[in-house]
Amino acid sequence: MNALARRQFLKGLGVSAAALPFLTGLPSLGLGATGQRKQRVVVMFSPNGTIPTAFWPDATGADFQLKDILSPLAPFKDQMLVLKGISNKVRGDGDSHMRGMSCLLTGTELFPGNIQGGSHTPAGWAKGISIDQELKNFFQSRPETRTRFGSLEFGIGVSDRADPWTRMSYAGPNQPVAPTDDPYQMYQKLYGQLRDKETLRSILDDVREDLRKVASKISAEDRRLLEQHAEFVRQMEKELTADDGRKYRATPPTFTAGVANQNDNVPALSRMQVELMLNSFVNDFARVATLQYTKSVGQARMGWLNITDNHHTLSHESDGNKDAADKLTRINKWFCGELAYLVKRLSETREPDGQGSLLDNTLIVWANELGKGNSHTLDNIPLVLIGGGLGFKMGRALDFKGTAHNRLHLALAHGVGHHIKTFGSPHLCEAGALSLA
Amino acid sequence: MILGLAALSLCLSCGTVEPVSKGPRLSGEQIYRRQCIQCHGENGEGVKGKYDERLVGDWSIDRLTKVIAKTMPEDKPGTCTGADATAVSRYIHGAFYSPEAQAHNKPPRIELARLTNRQFEHSLADLLKSFTGDTAMGNERGLSGTYYSARGFRADKKIFARTDATVSFDFGEATPDDAKFTKEEFSAQWFGSVWADETGDYEFILKTENGSRLWVNDTEKTLIDAWVSNGQRTEYRATLRLLGGRAYPIRVDWFKFKDKRASIELRWRTPHGVAQVIPRSHLLTQRATPTLVVTTPFPADDSSAGYARGVAVSKQWDEAATQAAIEVANKTLVQLETLLRTASATTNRAQKAREFCGQFVERAFRRPLTAEERNIYVESQFVQPGPLENSVKRVILRALKSPHFLYPALTAAPRDDHAVATRLALSLWDSLPDAPLLQAAVAGQLRTREQVRLQAERMLKDPRAHAKLRDFFHHWLDLDKGESVAKDPKVFPEFSHELAADLRASLHRFLDHAMWESSGDYRQLLLADYLFVNERLATFYGSAKLTNGLGFEKVAVDASRAGVVTHPYLLATFAYADNTSPIHRGVFLARHIAGRSLKPPPNAVQFKDKEFKPGLTMREKVTHLTSAADCMSCHSIINPLGFALENFDSLGRYRTHEQGRPVDVTGDYATLDGQTLRFASARDVARHAAESPHAQRQFVEQLFQHTTKQAARAFGRETAAVLWQGFAQADCNVPKLLAEIAVTAALHDTTTKTVAK
């Protein structure tokens, strides 16, 4: 991952709760409690495949055991679905990594282009919309599910470049959506205006004082102009203090300043992003989110696990290299641990309208670009679904024996009431949506 | 100056009147008080329900006399004639009618004014620039291009470097040089600056089938990131706001990798132009530093006096100014490490932040801070606990919302030197004083006229002075109207937006040349016998063949044309979509070129071509339409001016016939001092405006107002006259006049109301 030395980020955080329109306490009827439960979908991404023997449960059905990589999710086993046998069957231009990444959520081929991977033909962007954006559009099209942003794309250690390895979300053909991997920048996006307002309010009194002092020293005719000006300042002050009608359930998280966007801070950055996502859900800023850890071919160096090798490099070691397999297992287990943290936070946070926990109304999909790093296989993509948001029958391990992943996207769409017949390449949808309910 | 008595139709019945005939001769004032006051009021201010308008205008006593004798009193015209009429005319002229009387009764004063929008945005740009630094642009046109035999722009793959006039290449399936590059893979980078003439939104376009990236006015973030191609020639677009009269860094990265073909065009669409390859004339090989451009939209400044002024505040303005201050604070924070020259871990960061804030406020207020001010505006903001950035943000917000920034005239007496510098910088640049000017202020070298003039002459050379003068011409020539020139495609299918954009560029080129590359003579603006044309214009207007086809060239025109008076852009702007409009052209010439004042028409009559007998010329139609007495009071001025241009059609092309009938351009024009001039060509009009002392004085006053945002009379009754005399003696040199105006305003002592010698 790049050491982003020149990268500027906003420090100076915290919007003082006292000054802002936040509600705490009991749910109020005014907060969109239509009786309809909310539905949310989160897609989490980690790269370079998995270690199959440490990932896949041996049995299928409700009676399955979690292996090492998935062990952090043990407290939520009954809310999980482990899906084996799902393949990314999209072919066409681009090498397996590029297709693994940019066809993962789009289910459609890449444009021919000028970006050359390690093999195959060069490629451009994906030819279609990704499922997270498809769901976002669906939610935004209906007043009852519309939110301020629709979707939020979070990243951790993504890198500055825009290419088919760093983008999995697409608003349409040739329209990649960039994740925000700087939590301060995401904070600014969500709360920047509020913070500006607070700073502004803190100086308006002084500005009026300035105008008054100055006005006393000039001629009567000129004074009139300054008096008018002072009146507008006073009005602005009043308007800033007044209730703008919008209420927030949760105060934004407090971040320590100065967490640089660098490899070694990935654990801290991960938690910051998760807290922001949680906060966004409580305040209903969005109902769709992505959480992208690094990128396809990601080279995280997980020093906090005492691993000094880079992720992608490790993933190319042969199966026989026990040391590499051990490290890769711990790396993937770390990713799972971050997922478990997100799940735990969702499970312990109540819905503002009182209808269960956030986890009850959210479905998280943890996906990967590849089945296995050293073979670049696109079969048996490690897939874990967790949460009650789409009403699937959870607490099982399933094996679909090599079916197209487009069918999973169809299941997600149908799960929120968006009854599309195909998603991505139509010929990969012929067997219809996966039956997960 | 307003035409008063002419609006006769608004004067209602005056009631009973005593005939003035027998008995001792009454004075003009007595006559007025007996006969005129009922409708016109004690001091000509008007009487509601009778004659609502003020009795003010610029007619001579002679003219007033004639009109009074003919038309007054309204219900019994012809009863106040001869010596009586003369007496009344003399009285009202001296008491309140004439501009001199007006000025005498209520002398204009220098009004407190806030920064105009233009001053606001340029001041902020230069405020930040004073910290980030600037570079001299040099004169080399084009961009520096470096070509590589692989993607990645690595030094060991560099093949050659050269200056490219434009970035517009189509290599097809080949390469820049088949001997040195392989078809499969090569790349290039271009660096330099792009020049923006006007302030506004610029649309940048990369047209290519390959991968490319574009940076404009930002050395880190791309404006367009089209690195990933799809093999099809595509136009990638992004819009950016730029301030006119400045250069902005530009960089293009481009590579071909296994695409079938290779091509790249760097294009743009300027605020009033059409999309085209960015021409060599607007590219510089020297790389500028980025400029902070405020993007918050502002409500338009008050222009009721004919130029933008900051004499009013509104809620929208206050909100915009506040939003802009927040914008500047946020953009400054993003670069804070660079501005403080620290890495975030440096121990004396707080110290450096305070120093930066102190300098920021001083430069914003255009003068040093007292210890008390430093405490209020800087130190006290660092007292509260919390990150440094919050303190810096508060300082910036407070400073930019402070009246000391927004109202530049608010300087206390002890800081006169800085007041001089402030006024000079606002007059010549619409911006803040630069470092040399501030140093001169501190060193006490802005005391004498000679010293201040020296600074003004230095500042004239800066592109910001050129931009300020260009802004003046924008108003003087009413160029706002030209922005939406449209012609009826059935009548003029040969008209296009490209043509209009070229004409606009041609006019700007002419103005720049006449003012800064040639003699700078005001008369040349009106009488010049040349035009700037490119290929398209040369073909359209049938001028001489161009020699180098590299953009605009100076070509001679015959005596039918004269400077701006006959520039096709203005002729086309002041015309209908399907025909000429002597009225629009006449009004333009009267107000802007000949320096006459015209009130709005009493009856707004629309020109409807269908209502005329077919076969009439435009002149005949207009004459008929404006023949009524009420109309003629203004149209006797407007029409001869407009008719003189009838040799030029709606697109500014020369013609001798209109619909088969010969064009009649003759007209009799009455000057202010009672002379009648016969115009028989456009050049006659131009010569009059060029040489008429009245027109010249009007020009001086208009430039004065535009420069200082105040009326000339506010700086002394004789100021405008003195400036005009100097102007006339200096061969009507406009840049010198601009400098003299700035010097005069800068040294004006507001306490004693005298002009410094």
Side-chain angles (χ1 to χ4, degrees), chain A residues 46-56 69-70 311 315 319 328-329 332-333 366 368-374 380-383:
Chain A
S46 62
N48 299 318
T50 190
I51 299 294
T53 48
F55 184 90
W56 297 112
I69 289 175
L70 292 181
H311 187 184
S315 74
D319 289 355
L328 288 166
T329 300
N332 281 290
K333 187 172 173 183
W366 179 23
N368 200 309
E369 50 167 338
L370 302 173
K372 193 145 92 75
N374 57 12
N380 290 315
I381 303 289
L383 280 164

Side-chain angles (χ1 to χ4, degrees), chain B residues 294-335:
Chain B
V294 163
T295 56
T296 305
F298 273 73
D301 284 322
D302 170 282
S303 289
S304 57
Y307 56 97
R309 303 185 297 164
V311 293
V313 292
S314 66
K315 185 154 187 231
Q316 289 81 3
W317 174 82
D318 185 49
E319 283 172 358
T322 303
Q323 204 49 49
I326 292 174
E327 188 187 340
V328 170
N330 285 336
K331 285 182 175 171
T332 305
L333 283 182
V334 167
Q335 319 175 48

Side-chain angles (χ1 to χ4, degrees), chain A residues 6-14 111-116 120-125 160-164 174 188 192 195-197 199-200 202-204 206-207 209-211 213-214 218-219 221-223 225-226 228-229 232-233 235-236 239 257, chain B residues 109-114 151 210-211 213 220 225 227-231 255 257-259 310-315 317-319 322 326 330 333-338 344 349 372 376-377 381 387 389-390 393-394 397-398 401-404 406-407 410:
Chain A
R6 288 178 314 161
R7 197 59 180 274
Q8 300 297 336
F9 48 88
L10 292 167
K11 302 175 207 136
L13 299 171
F111 280 110
N114 60 353
I115 304 299
Q116 178 64 56
H120 293 74
T121 50
W125 297 118
D160 261 345
R161 293 205 311 268
D163 53 42
N174 273 323
Q188 177 74 2
R195 199 167 47 203
D196 284 342
K197 277 190 180 158
T199 313
L200 183 59
S202 73
I203 58 130
L204 284 184
D206 292 332
V207 170
E209 178 59 24
D210 280 348
L211 283 165
K213 266 202 288 203
V214 159
I218 58 177
S219 72
E221 299 120 310
D222 288 336
R223 204 172 298 152
L225 185 62
L226 292 188
Q228 276 183 342
H229 187 161
F232 293 127
V233 175
Q235 278 181 24
M236 184 179 280
E239 281 163 19
Chain B
R109 50 179 207 93
I110 297 176
E111 298 180 6
L112 178 67
R114 56 163 174 82
R151 328 163 254 172
N210 317 108
R213 287 191 175 117
E220 307 222 353
D225 185 341
W227 204 239
V228 178
S229 79
N230 57 10
F255 80 104
F257 182 74
K258 292 193 176 168
D259 300 309
V311 293
V313 292
S314 66
K315 185 154 187 231
W317 174 82
D318 185 49
E319 283 172 358
T322 303
I326 292 174
N330 285 336
L333 283 182
V334 167
Q335 319 175 48
L336 193 60
E337 300 311 326
T338 316
S344 58
R349 222 168 144 253
E372 192 199 345
I376 295 173
Y377 289 102
Q381 305 300 344
E389 283 72 11
N390 283 0
K393 189 166 183 173
R394 271 199 300 274
L397 218 52
R398 177 97 191 274
K401 277 190 67 59
S402 162
H404 296 292
L406 295 169
Y407 298 88
L410 286 177

Side-chain angles (χ1 to χ4, degrees), chain A residues 39-263:
Chain A
Q39 287 184 298
R40 300 185 192 86
V41 175
V42 177
V43 178
M44 174 176 150
F45 169 87
S46 62
N48 299 318
T50 190
I51 299 294
T53 48
F55 184 90
W56 297 112
D58 293 322
T60 55
D63 228 350
F64 67 100
Q65 300 309 315
L66 294 175
K67 296 250 181 87
D68 201 6
I69 289 175
L70 292 181
S71 58
L73 288 171
F76 306 100
K77 184 163 168 289
D78 59 345
Q79 297 179 66
M80 280 169 69
L81 272 177
V82 183
L83 305 180
K84 195 176 180 186
I86 294 187
S87 305
N88 179 342
K89 296 195 180 216
V90 178
R91 298 295 172 252
D93 292 297
D95 71 4
S96 301
H97 275 288
M98 293 159 81
R99 278 182 287 123
M101 184 61 167
S102 282
C103 306
L104 176 63
L105 299 184
T106 59
T108 188
E109 295 182 359
L110 304 180
F111 280 110
N114 60 353
I115 304 299
Q116 178 64 56
S119 58
H120 293 74
T121 50
W125 297 118
K127 278 184 180 170
I129 191 173
S130 57
I131 190 63
D132 58 304
Q133 297 300 306
E134 176 81 20
L135 296 180
K136 170 217 176 150
N137 291 346
F138 177 69
F139 284 149
Q140 293 299 82
S141 73
R142 297 150 80 231
E144 60 268 29
T145 50
R146 194 175 297 146
T147 53
R148 183 177 163 203
F149 292 105
S151 72
L152 289 168
E153 290 75 34
F154 295 83
I156 293 102
V158 175
S159 101
D160 261 345
R161 293 205 311 268
D163 53 42
W165 290 286
T166 60
R167 303 284 181 262
M168 63 179 186
S169 292
Y170 287 80
N174 273 323
Q175 295 172 58
V177 178
T180 302
D181 72 347
D182 180 338
Y184 301 101
Q185 193 183 332
M186 182 59 90
Y187 189 111
Q188 177 74 2
K189 175 181 169 128
L190 303 177
Y191 292 107
Q193 276 193 341
L194 224 45
R195 199 167 47 203
D196 284 342
K197 277 190 180 158
E198 204 193 355
T199 313
L200 183 59
R201 219 194 350 234
S202 73
I203 58 130
L204 284 184
D205 219 20
D206 292 332
V207 170
R208 270 207 294 150
E209 178 59 24
D210 280 348
L211 283 165
R212 201 194 53 77
K213 266 202 288 203
V214 159
S216 65
K217 295 187 190 149
I218 58 177
S219 72
E221 299 120 310
D222 288 336
R223 204 172 298 152
R224 206 176 43 86
L225 185 62
L226 292 188
E227 277 164 9
Q228 276 183 342
H229 187 161
E231 174 57 27
F232 293 127
V233 175
R234 200 186 62 79
Q235 278 181 24
M236 184 179 280
E237 207 168 356
K238 224 169 90 171
E239 281 163 19
L240 283 179
T241 324
D243 199 337
D244 70 352
R246 194 163 45 178
K247 297 269 186 280
Y248 298 114
R249 268 282 161 201
T251 58
T254 312
F255 290 160
T256 48
V259 180
N261 202 338
Q262 289 167 2
N263 176 81

Side-chain angles (χ1 to χ4, degrees), chain B residues 137-247:
Chain B
M137 277 298 102
N139 279 321
E140 199 190 354
R141 304 275 155 173
L143 294 179
S144 304
T146 309
Y147 293 73
Y148 302 82
S149 60
R151 328 163 254 172
F153 313 118
R154 277 174 20 216
D156 60 335
K157 298 287 186 186
K158 171 177 159 182
I159 301 297
F160 62 73
R162 66 186 185 195
T163 299
D164 284 322
T166 61
V167 177
S168 176
F169 300 100
D170 188 345
F171 300 113
E173 298 189 23
T175 72
D177 183 340
D178 286 347
K180 299 179 179 154
F181 297 89
T182 57
K183 276 202 302 198
E184 187 183 81
E185 180 180 349
F186 53 87
S187 64
Q189 277 184 318
W190 289 274
F191 285 90
S193 302
V194 65
W195 181 267
D197 283 323
E198 297 178 275
T199 296
D201 286 337
Y202 286 73
E203 189 181 35
F204 286 90
I205 303 159
L206 282 177
K207 187 171 172 185
T208 176
E209 47 258 284
N210 317 108
S212 62
R213 287 191 175 117
L214 175 69
W215 290 255
V216 182
N217 199 28
D218 192 319
T219 49
E220 307 222 353
K221 229 170 45 123
T222 54
L223 181 63
I224 296 175
D225 185 341
W227 204 239
V228 178
S229 79
N230 57 10
Q232 306 272 40
R233 188 173 291 189
T234 312
E235 287 191 359
Y236 303 95
R237 299 159 182 276
T239 303
L240 190 64
R241 184 159 198 270
L242 299 176
L243 294 178
R246 293 171 186 260

Side-chain angles (χ1 to χ4, degrees), chain B residues 477-505:
Chain B
L477 298 175
D478 224 352
L479 293 182
D480 280 337
K481 289 223 170 50
E483 286 160 21
S484 49
V485 164
K487 297 293 169 188
D488 187 335
K490 290 199 273 310
V491 182
F492 295 111
E494 62 272 39
F495 176 80
S496 68
H497 289 300
E498 282 79 8
L499 187 77
D502 282 347
L503 283 177
R504 195 181 175 90

Side-chain angles (χ1 to χ4, degrees), chain B residues 504-535:
Chain B
R504 195 181 175 90
S506 159
L507 178 60
H508 279 132
R509 190 74 196 87
F510 168 75
L511 293 169
D512 280 343
H513 177 82
M515 290 294 98
W516 303 105
E517 294 163 18
S518 181
S519 61
D521 189 333
Y522 152 82
R523 295 163 298 191
Q524 273 302 291
L525 289 172
L526 301 161
L527 292 168
D529 56 3
Y530 59 87
L531 269 183
F532 279 85
V533 294
N534 60 4
E535 291 283 358

